[in-house]
Amino acid sequence: MSNNKVWMVTGAARGLGNEIVKAALAEGYKVVATVRKNKEQLLSDLNSENLHVVAMDVTDEGQVKVAVEEAVAYFGRIDVLVNNAGFGLLSAVEEGTDKEVRNMYDTNVFGLLNVLRAVLPYMRMKLQPQLILMMSRIKKS
């Protein structure tokens, strides 16, 4: 089976992001999977010619831009963005430390914006881009 669309999935190392990558590959899509580290491990685990893995921390705007440029250079475009990288902080307001809350906002809010700002210029060239924004992990403090 071969599908034409190119997916970019952030937070693909584990959890829901990893399952989305597997499902998209199983349907024949091309997938750019982003991970903060151990990209060789994901390449080895999934072993697909339709998979390109890039190292990217969503909180690093420069790294995000480079990763998106690499993805577009590799597959020619991005049709579907699954902005999955993120986490939740499960605590009472007074229990979450300033550092924990700021880290969560840096990842979930500003990281999401970093990815959108880098990807949207490429997606605007397409008539029907698709954006999926989500969060899949909860961290208990």
mmCIF file of all heavy atoms in Angstrom, residues 12-40:
data_model
loop_
_atom_site.group_PDB
_atom_site.id
_atom_site.type_symbol
_atom_site.label_atom_id
_atom_site.label_comp_id
_atom_site.label_asym_id
_atom_site.label_seq_id
_atom_site.Cartn_x
_atom_site.Cartn_y
_atom_site.Cartn_z
ATOM 1 N N ALA A 12 7.806 11.377 19.064
ATOM 2 C CA ALA A 12 7.580 10.044 18.498
ATOM 3 C C ALA A 12 8.363 8.925 19.174
ATOM 4 O O ALA A 12 8.241 7.772 18.785
ATOM 5 C CB ALA A 12 7.919 10.066 17.003
ATOM 6 N N ALA A 13 9.129 9.242 20.189
ATOM 7 C CA ALA A 13 9.969 8.219 20.814
ATOM 8 C C ALA A 13 9.156 7.156 21.556
ATOM 9 O O ALA A 13 9.561 5.994 21.604
ATOM 10 C CB ALA A 13 10.964 8.861 21.771
ATOM 11 N N ARG A 14 8.027 7.558 22.117
ATOM 12 C CA ARG A 14 7.239 6.601 22.902
ATOM 13 C C ARG A 14 5.786 7.072 22.967
ATOM 14 O O ARG A 14 5.435 8.131 22.463
ATOM 15 C CB ARG A 14 7.819 6.464 24.305
ATOM 16 C CG ARG A 14 7.781 7.741 25.103
ATOM 17 C CD ARG A 14 8.378 7.538 26.505
ATOM 18 N NE ARG A 14 8.162 8.722 27.286
ATOM 19 C CZ ARG A 14 9.088 9.622 27.548
ATOM 20 N NH1 ARG A 14 10.299 9.461 27.101
ATOM 21 N NH2 ARG A 14 8.794 10.678 28.277
ATOM 22 N N GLY A 15 4.975 6.263 23.592
ATOM 23 C CA GLY A 15 3.590 6.638 23.845
ATOM 24 C C GLY A 15 2.763 6.803 22.586
ATOM 25 O O GLY A 15 2.968 6.123 21.579
ATOM 26 N N LEU A 16 1.836 7.733 22.659
ATOM 27 C CA LEU A 16 0.895 7.958 21.569
ATOM 28 C C LEU A 16 1.597 8.374 20.279
ATOM 29 O O LEU A 16 1.230 7.936 19.189
ATOM 30 C CB LEU A 16 -0.136 9.003 21.991
ATOM 31 C CG LEU A 16 -1.332 9.205 21.080
ATOM 32 C CD1 LEU A 16 -2.057 7.893 20.816
ATOM 33 C CD2 LEU A 16 -2.290 10.213 21.693
ATOM 34 N N GLY A 17 2.625 9.218 20.381
ATOM 35 C CA GLY A 17 3.371 9.635 19.189
ATOM 36 C C GLY A 17 3.979 8.450 18.467
ATOM 37 O O GLY A 17 3.917 8.359 17.236
ATOM 38 N N ASN A 18 4.545 7.529 19.218
ATOM 39 C CA ASN A 18 5.138 6.330 18.629
ATOM 40 C C ASN A 18 4.079 5.475 17.949
ATOM 41 O O ASN A 18 4.301 4.955 16.847
ATOM 42 C CB ASN A 18 5.877 5.540 19.715
ATOM 43 C CG ASN A 18 6.674 4.400 19.155
ATOM 44 O OD1 ASN A 18 6.179 3.274 19.115
ATOM 45 N ND2 ASN A 18 7.888 4.685 18.744
ATOM 46 N N GLU A 19 2.929 5.342 18.574
ATOM 47 C CA GLU A 19 1.843 4.545 17.986
ATOM 48 C C GLU A 19 1.295 5.202 16.718
ATOM 49 O O GLU A 19 0.929 4.513 15.764
ATOM 50 C CB GLU A 19 0.726 4.332 19.013
ATOM 51 C CG GLU A 19 1.143 3.473 20.198
ATOM 52 C CD GLU A 19 1.626 2.077 19.797
ATOM 53 O OE1 GLU A 19 1.003 1.442 18.910
ATOM 54 O OE2 GLU A 19 2.638 1.624 20.362
ATOM 55 N N ILE A 20 1.238 6.531 16.698
ATOM 56 C CA ILE A 20 0.783 7.238 15.494
ATOM 57 C C ILE A 20 1.753 7.012 14.350
ATOM 58 O O ILE A 20 1.346 6.776 13.208
ATOM 59 C CB ILE A 20 0.585 8.739 15.789
ATOM 60 C CG1 ILE A 20 -0.616 8.925 16.720
ATOM 61 C CG2 ILE A 20 0.416 9.540 14.504
ATOM 62 C CD1 ILE A 20 -0.745 10.315 17.298
ATOM 63 N N VAL A 21 3.049 7.060 14.637
ATOM 64 C CA VAL A 21 4.060 6.799 13.607
ATOM 65 C C VAL A 21 3.874 5.390 13.050
ATOM 66 O O VAL A 21 3.856 5.192 11.829
ATOM 67 C CB VAL A 21 5.488 6.990 14.164
ATOM 68 C CG1 VAL A 21 6.529 6.455 13.190
ATOM 69 C CG2 VAL A 21 5.751 8.458 14.467
ATOM 70 N N LYS A 22 3.735 4.411 13.914
ATOM 71 C CA LYS A 22 3.553 3.020 13.470
ATOM 72 C C LYS A 22 2.305 2.878 12.595
ATOM 73 O O LYS A 22 2.336 2.208 11.557
ATOM 74 C CB LYS A 22 3.441 2.085 14.673
ATOM 75 C CG LYS A 22 4.734 1.897 15.428
ATOM 76 C CD LYS A 22 4.485 1.024 16.654
ATOM 77 C CE LYS A 22 5.701 0.932 17.536
ATOM 78 N NZ LYS A 22 5.432 0.183 18.782
ATOM 79 N N ALA A 23 1.205 3.497 13.017
ATOM 80 C CA ALA A 23 -0.044 3.401 12.262
ATOM 81 C C ALA A 23 0.083 4.076 10.899
ATOM 82 O O ALA A 23 -0.390 3.531 9.887
ATOM 83 C CB ALA A 23 -1.188 4.023 13.055
ATOM 84 N N ALA A 24 0.705 5.245 10.847
ATOM 85 C CA ALA A 24 0.875 5.952 9.573
ATOM 86 C C ALA A 24 1.757 5.141 8.622
ATOM 87 O O ALA A 24 1.454 5.028 7.426
ATOM 88 C CB ALA A 24 1.458 7.342 9.811
ATOM 89 N N LEU A 25 2.829 4.570 9.146
ATOM 90 C CA LEU A 25 3.701 3.731 8.305
ATOM 91 C C LEU A 25 2.948 2.494 7.801
ATOM 92 O O LEU A 25 3.093 2.117 6.638
ATOM 93 C CB LEU A 25 4.951 3.314 9.079
ATOM 94 C CG LEU A 25 5.960 4.416 9.366
ATOM 95 C CD1 LEU A 25 7.031 3.911 10.339
ATOM 96 C CD2 LEU A 25 6.598 4.930 8.080
ATOM 97 N N ALA A 26 2.139 1.900 8.670
ATOM 98 C CA ALA A 26 1.365 0.717 8.284
ATOM 99 C C ALA A 26 0.382 1.026 7.159
ATOM 100 O O ALA A 26 0.066 0.156 6.341
ATOM 101 C CB ALA A 26 0.626 0.151 9.495
ATOM 102 N N GLU A 27 -0.078 2.274 7.103
ATOM 103 C CA GLU A 27 -1.003 2.701 6.046
ATOM 104 C C GLU A 27 -0.270 3.149 4.788
ATOM 105 O O GLU A 27 -0.908 3.543 3.810
ATOM 106 C CB GLU A 27 -1.907 3.830 6.550
ATOM 107 C CG GLU A 27 -2.917 3.381 7.585
ATOM 108 C CD GLU A 27 -3.932 2.394 7.022
ATOM 109 O OE1 GLU A 27 -4.382 2.572 5.867
ATOM 110 O OE2 GLU A 27 -4.274 1.437 7.741
ATOM 111 N N GLY A 28 1.065 3.121 4.823
ATOM 112 C CA GLY A 28 1.845 3.455 3.638
ATOM 113 C C GLY A 28 2.253 4.907 3.507
ATOM 114 O O GLY A 28 2.783 5.318 2.482
ATOM 115 N N TYR A 29 2.007 5.700 4.544
ATOM 116 C CA TYR A 29 2.410 7.105 4.500
ATOM 117 C C TYR A 29 3.913 7.244 4.720
ATOM 118 O O TYR A 29 4.545 6.384 5.328
ATOM 119 C CB TYR A 29 1.675 7.911 5.574
ATOM 120 C CG TYR A 29 0.194 8.018 5.350
ATOM 121 C CD1 TYR A 29 -0.703 7.323 6.149
ATOM 122 C CD2 TYR A 29 -0.314 8.819 4.331
ATOM 123 C CE1 TYR A 29 -2.077 7.418 5.946
ATOM 124 C CE2 TYR A 29 -1.684 8.915 4.117
ATOM 125 C CZ TYR A 29 -2.553 8.211 4.928
ATOM 126 O OH TYR A 29 -3.902 8.311 4.719
ATOM 127 N N LYS A 30 4.468 8.348 4.268
ATOM 128 C CA LYS A 30 5.837 8.719 4.599
ATOM 129 C C LYS A 30 5.765 9.490 5.908
ATOM 130 O O LYS A 30 4.870 10.313 6.099
ATOM 131 C CB LYS A 30 6.449 9.575 3.490
ATOM 132 C CG LYS A 30 6.635 8.820 2.187
ATOM 133 C CD LYS A 30 7.147 9.760 1.101
ATOM 134 C CE LYS A 30 7.440 9.029 -0.171
ATOM 135 N NZ LYS A 30 6.258 8.484 -0.828
ATOM 136 N N VAL A 31 6.725 9.243 6.803
ATOM 137 C CA VAL A 31 6.665 9.846 8.129
ATOM 138 C C VAL A 31 8.017 10.422 8.522
ATOM 139 O O VAL A 31 9.037 9.755 8.417
ATOM 140 C CB VAL A 31 6.231 8.814 9.197
ATOM 141 C CG1 VAL A 31 6.224 9.438 10.589
ATOM 142 C CG2 VAL A 31 4.868 8.223 8.865
ATOM 143 N N VAL A 32 7.977 11.670 8.979
ATOM 144 C CA VAL A 32 9.118 12.283 9.644
ATOM 145 C C VAL A 32 8.785 12.240 11.126
ATOM 146 O O VAL A 32 7.806 12.848 11.560
ATOM 147 C CB VAL A 32 9.336 13.743 9.195
ATOM 148 C CG1 VAL A 32 10.488 14.363 9.966
ATOM 149 C CG2 VAL A 32 9.565 13.812 7.700
ATOM 150 N N ALA A 33 9.558 11.471 11.880
ATOM 151 C CA ALA A 33 9.337 11.334 13.314
ATOM 152 C C ALA A 33 10.402 12.136 14.049
ATOM 153 O O ALA A 33 11.578 12.039 13.726
ATOM 154 C CB ALA A 33 9.416 9.860 13.720
ATOM 155 N N THR A 34 9.980 12.937 15.023
ATOM 156 C CA THR A 34 10.956 13.709 15.780
ATOM 157 C C THR A 34 11.097 13.142 17.187
ATOM 158 O O THR A 34 10.118 12.736 17.816
ATOM 159 C CB THR A 34 10.593 15.207 15.863
ATOM 160 O OG1 THR A 34 9.520 15.406 16.772
ATOM 161 C CG2 THR A 34 10.242 15.758 14.483
ATOM 162 N N VAL A 35 12.335 13.108 17.640
ATOM 163 C CA VAL A 35 12.676 12.637 18.982
ATOM 164 C C VAL A 35 13.743 13.569 19.546
ATOM 165 O O VAL A 35 14.500 14.168 18.788
ATOM 166 C CB VAL A 35 13.186 11.185 18.972
ATOM 167 C CG1 VAL A 35 12.100 10.228 18.510
ATOM 168 C CG2 VAL A 35 14.423 11.036 18.100
ATOM 169 N N ARG A 36 13.812 13.675 20.855
ATOM 170 C CA ARG A 36 14.857 14.510 21.448
ATOM 171 C C ARG A 36 16.212 13.819 21.414
ATOM 172 O O ARG A 36 17.235 14.466 21.309
ATOM 173 C CB ARG A 36 14.502 14.878 22.892
ATOM 174 C CG ARG A 36 13.443 15.966 22.966
ATOM 175 C CD ARG A 36 13.139 16.338 24.383
ATOM 176 N NE ARG A 36 12.475 15.196 25.010
ATOM 177 C CZ ARG A 36 12.410 14.980 26.308
ATOM 178 N NH1 ARG A 36 12.971 15.803 27.144
ATOM 179 N NH2 ARG A 36 11.776 13.924 26.780
ATOM 180 N N LYS A 37 16.214 12.495 21.527
ATOM 181 C CA LYS A 37 17.468 11.742 21.533
ATOM 182 C C LYS A 37 17.205 10.322 21.048
ATOM 183 O O LYS A 37 16.059 9.901 20.905
ATOM 184 C CB LYS A 37 18.090 11.731 22.931
ATOM 185 C CG LYS A 37 17.170 11.199 24.003
ATOM 186 C CD LYS A 37 17.743 11.368 25.385
ATOM 187 C CE LYS A 37 16.699 10.934 26.402
ATOM 188 N NZ LYS A 37 17.032 11.258 27.731
ATOM 189 N N ASN A 38 18.271 9.593 20.782
ATOM 190 C CA ASN A 38 18.211 8.183 20.364
ATOM 191 C C ASN A 38 17.440 7.967 19.062
ATOM 192 O O ASN A 38 16.650 7.037 18.946
ATOM 193 C CB ASN A 38 17.626 7.307 21.470
ATOM 194 C CG ASN A 38 18.437 7.350 22.741
ATOM 195 O OD1 ASN A 38 19.663 7.462 22.705
ATOM 196 N ND2 ASN A 38 17.770 7.284 23.868
ATOM 197 N N LYS A 39 17.681 8.818 18.065
ATOM 198 C CA LYS A 39 16.959 8.654 16.802
ATOM 199 C C LYS A 39 17.322 7.341 16.118
ATOM 200 O O LYS A 39 16.479 6.741 15.453
ATOM 201 C CB LYS A 39 17.170 9.856 15.889
ATOM 202 C CG LYS A 39 18.511 10.016 15.271
ATOM 203 C CD LYS A 39 18.535 11.258 14.392
ATOM 204 C CE LYS A 39 19.690 11.213 13.427
ATOM 205 N NZ LYS A 39 19.662 12.312 12.480
ATOM 206 N N GLU A 40 18.545 6.867 16.313
ATOM 207 C CA GLU A 40 18.945 5.596 15.710
ATOM 208 C C GLU A 40 18.113 4.439 16.250
ATOM 209 O O GLU A 40 17.805 3.493 15.535
ATOM 210 C CB GLU A 40 20.445 5.328 15.947
ATOM 211 C CG GLU A 40 21.368 6.280 15.228
ATOM 212 C CD GLU A 40 21.499 7.640 15.923
ATOM 213 O OE1 GLU A 40 21.129 7.757 17.121
ATOM 214 O OE2 GLU A 40 21.937 8.591 15.257
#
